[in-house]
């Protein structure tokens, strides 16, 4: 099981569902941090998996609902 590092958990773009999705897709925490840093630098906040289609995609990849 992948345990998120403090850098992940304390990142301004941290979202548990987004992290779970990216890990399930094979991303490392280091790769996730690079992505989130780039998104934050351009003013984008965390990815929230709230729409019906997003929740379906999340569930298909991670089993989370």
């Amino acid at each position: 099981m992948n345990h998120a590092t403090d850098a992940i958990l304390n990142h301004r773009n941290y979202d548990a569902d987004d992290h779970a999705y990216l890990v399930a897709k094979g991303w490392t925490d280091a790769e996730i941090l690079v992505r989130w840093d780039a998104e934050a630098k351009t003013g984008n906040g965390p990815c929230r998996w709230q729409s019906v289609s997003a929740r379906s995609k999340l569930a298909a990849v991670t089993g989370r609902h």
Side-chain angles (χ1 to χ4, degrees), residues 27-49:
W27 291 53
T28 66
D29 281 350
E31 292 169 325
I32 293 168
L33 286 170
V34 168
R35 177 183 179 144
W36 287 352
D37 284 345
E39 290 173 349
K41 187 176 181 179
T42 62
N44 293 319
C47 178
R48 302 290 187 206
W49 294 79

Side-chain angles (χ1 to χ4, degrees), residues 4-48:
T5 64
D6 285 342
I8 288 286
L9 293 173
N10 294 312
H11 197 282
R12 65 185 270 188
N13 278 20
Y14 175 76
D15 178 86
D17 288 333
D18 195 36
H19 183 256
Y21 176 81
L22 293 171
V23 168
K25 295 295 271 182
W27 291 53
T28 66
D29 281 350
E31 292 169 325
I32 293 168
L33 286 170
V34 168
R35 177 183 179 144
W36 287 352
D37 284 345
E39 290 173 349
K41 187 176 181 179
T42 62
N44 293 319
C47 178
R48 302 290 187 206

